[in-house]
Amino acid sequence: MTIRDASWEQRYQQLVDTAVSNNTEFHRWLRTWADLEAEVYEQGTALLRAYQADMTNEEVKRERQTFLTTRRPGLQALHDRAAQMAVEWSEHFSVPKDWRQAFMYFGVVARQAKQPSGDLDGQVELIGGELSALFSQLPYRLHGEPVEARTRAALAVSPDRAQRHAAFQSSREARLAVIPEVVHLMRRSLDLRREIARRAGYDTAHQHLWSLLERVDYTPQDVHTFRTSVREHLTPLLVAFRNRRKALLRVEALKPWDLTIDPFGGAAQPRFADEAELIERVADSLPLPGLGDQVRRLWRTGLLDLTARPGKADRSYSDFLAHQRLPYVQMRLQPTPDAVQILYHELGHVAQLSGVKRGSPFWHHFPGVEMREFVAQNFELWSLNQLPTLFTFDDAPGHVLRFYEKTLARMVGQCVMDEFQEWFYSCEHTPDQSQMEEVWQHISDQYPTGIDREGLPASEPLGYATAQVVRRPLVGIEYALAWSWAFAFVSQAEVAPDQTFSHLAEALLLGNTRPLPELLRVAGVAFSLSATQVETLHMPMQQALNRASSHRSAI
């Protein structure tokens, strides 16, 4: 359901025409702006939710396009003007303590407001939608014949290695078929991002995007140090996990199509009859008071949309209907441990959005991505202890081992993508496909993963060509950072769960009112990007690997 309020422009104009003469009026003006912004934000998220629910619905697609191209640019310009006024008035009136984090964002927007770019922002978002549609409707073929995505997906996890290889080739060829269009859209988005950055007074799109993400608690150099720690400490551990995988599969060389099967003995059968029972049991397991009841309400009202359907976007996603103060989740839930862990992750986002102090203004619900992912990953890690109540495993420790391997692979992949995006959004020119491939390969080579690529193309274009680069530029390294903090948190929760999650609830109440280091401190975790922090992951993973049987084979 969308709001379709025709008065937003009028109310925004009244807002920017308002005169403020004292602290009380300034604070009231801020609240009025926040309420209006919540309505406009909800319109955008409601349209995205409807579009992702059925990407083949042309009417919904047109409605979203119309909003993004005809209304959003004007609303964005008024939003930017309001931010500019807020920053100017903050020099004369007091900024409420709980708004100081939000004012960092307003400062970035105010700088951009000098040369508005709402028209370009809408174009970038449309390009992101085009990319998502491309990847959700890939033209899979097998042995020269068209094949449905679910058929190819089933072959990808077959015990028959030849079938997995065929599924890999089918996926690769389907993605290669759209690569020229993907690169074209990436190039268009880069040109737009560079112009937006220029208007905002930045030298590169990377600098501008960094500021928009409100990364004030660490620097690009800190991220370089973190990536170096991952290369030095975690890539060797990932290779060790991959060597164990190779030994269990009894193959001479580990190929990409050997990563889709579980040789660690973690095969599982669900202990729930249907989605309704799963939701009930997951809700009962959630460690924050009141969260289980919130999840049940969301599921009953369709805001926890888990059922796989034709046309539904193939992604797991959470966002906020901000005016109603309601989070929502969209994903294609399968009765597998992996999918249920993703559900726990998304419910972590629900916990974060729902945990902010009641009555808080719009912006307080959105701390930085780092904090939001830290919360979600806490729930994903916590779910490891809950899965045995939801599934009957052949070997539950084997699933933990596979999860650790997957987490290491994700962290390494996020570092590779971050390094690529730093280059991409710092380019003074618009790189072509061959340049993107060359840089991607150069970066990838610095992060060994234990996969043998002999006989495959020297440069694999499937890595950099993602919708994320356009839809959520630079976002990704926060996930890798958050894992080290999440492992530290869950290690405490396993000893004293009530106390540890009580601390998390206190941090959630603060929302976006405190810096990231303070939010983590309240949650009971130290803010750090150091090699020592990275090593907090290394120890439990290495211990799990050491305990694993070296002779077991599930194939």
Side-chain angles (χ1 to χ4, degrees), residues 262-331:
D262 178 12
F264 294 108
Q269 296 298 320
R271 300 174 66 176
F272 49 88
D274 52 26
E275 184 176 298
E277 183 182 353
L278 172 64
I279 293 302
E280 189 65 30
R281 294 175 67 177
V282 167
D284 284 341
S285 75
L286 296 173
L288 289 178
L291 181 58
D293 289 339
Q294 166 83 325
V295 167
R296 293 182 182 94
R297 286 193 296 270
L298 293 177
W299 187 74
R300 286 197 303 268
T301 57
L303 292 174
L304 193 58
D305 179 9
L306 308 178
T307 305
R309 299 184 301 272
K312 188 177 184 181
D314 189 14
R315 63 189 298 229
S316 300
Y317 185 75
S318 306
D319 211 326
F320 198 43
L321 301 176
H323 177 61
Q324 302 175 69
R325 298 298 195 268
L326 288 173
Y328 72 84
V329 174
Q330 284 180 311
M331 64 178 288

Side-chain angles (χ1 to χ4, degrees), residues 154-345:
L155 292 175
V157 295
S158 169
D160 186 325
R161 197 182 193 203
Q163 290 189 341
R164 298 200 305 273
H165 188 187
F168 171 84
Q169 288 294 102
S170 175
S171 177
R172 184 176 186 280
E173 289 167 6
R175 293 174 71 87
L176 281 173
V178 301
I179 285 293
E181 180 62 16
V182 171
V183 169
H184 170 68
L185 293 171
M186 289 175 65
R187 286 163 57 87
R188 277 179 54 199
S189 73
L190 177 58
D191 289 340
L192 291 167
R193 292 283 188 195
R194 279 209 300 259
E195 175 58 20
I196 293 170
R198 186 196 65 77
R199 292 184 186 185
Y202 292 88
D203 293 332
T204 68
H206 184 269
Q207 292 173 354
H208 180 235
L209 292 166
W210 183 282
S211 67
L212 286 178
L213 289 168
E214 301 174 62
R215 291 178 176 173
V216 297
D217 301 303
Y218 57 94
T219 67
Q221 185 55 50
D222 291 329
V223 172
H224 295 171
T225 300
F226 177 80
R227 293 195 309 237
T228 298
S229 297
V230 169
R231 282 199 302 269
E232 293 178 352
H233 297 283
L234 297 189
T235 57
L237 185 57
L238 175 58
V239 171
F241 270 85
R242 292 284 168 76
N243 286 339
R244 177 59 56 83
R245 170 181 285 273
K246 181 173 67 174
L248 293 174
L249 288 171
R250 298 177 180 173
V251 296
E252 292 186 4
L254 194 69
K255 297 294 185 179
W257 48 90
D258 294 322
L259 302 181
T260 54
I261 194 169
D262 178 12
F264 294 108
Q269 296 298 320
R271 300 174 66 176
F272 49 88
D274 52 26
E275 184 176 298
E277 183 182 353
L278 172 64
I279 293 302
E280 189 65 30
R281 294 175 67 177
V282 167
D284 284 341
S285 75
L286 296 173
L288 289 178
L291 181 58
D293 289 339
Q294 166 83 325
V295 167
R296 293 182 182 94
R297 286 193 296 270
L298 293 177
W299 187 74
R300 286 197 303 268
T301 57
L303 292 174
L304 193 58
D305 179 9
L306 308 178
T307 305
R309 299 184 301 272
K312 188 177 184 181
D314 189 14
R315 63 189 298 229
S316 300
Y317 185 75
S318 306
D319 211 326
F320 198 43
L321 301 176
H323 177 61
Q324 302 175 69
R325 298 298 195 268
L326 288 173
Y328 72 84
V329 174
Q330 284 180 311
M331 64 178 288
R332 293 182 177 186
L333 182 65
Q334 302 296 328
T336 66
D338 286 353
V340 170
Q341 282 196 268
I342 293 172
L343 173 61
Y344 272 92
H345 180 104

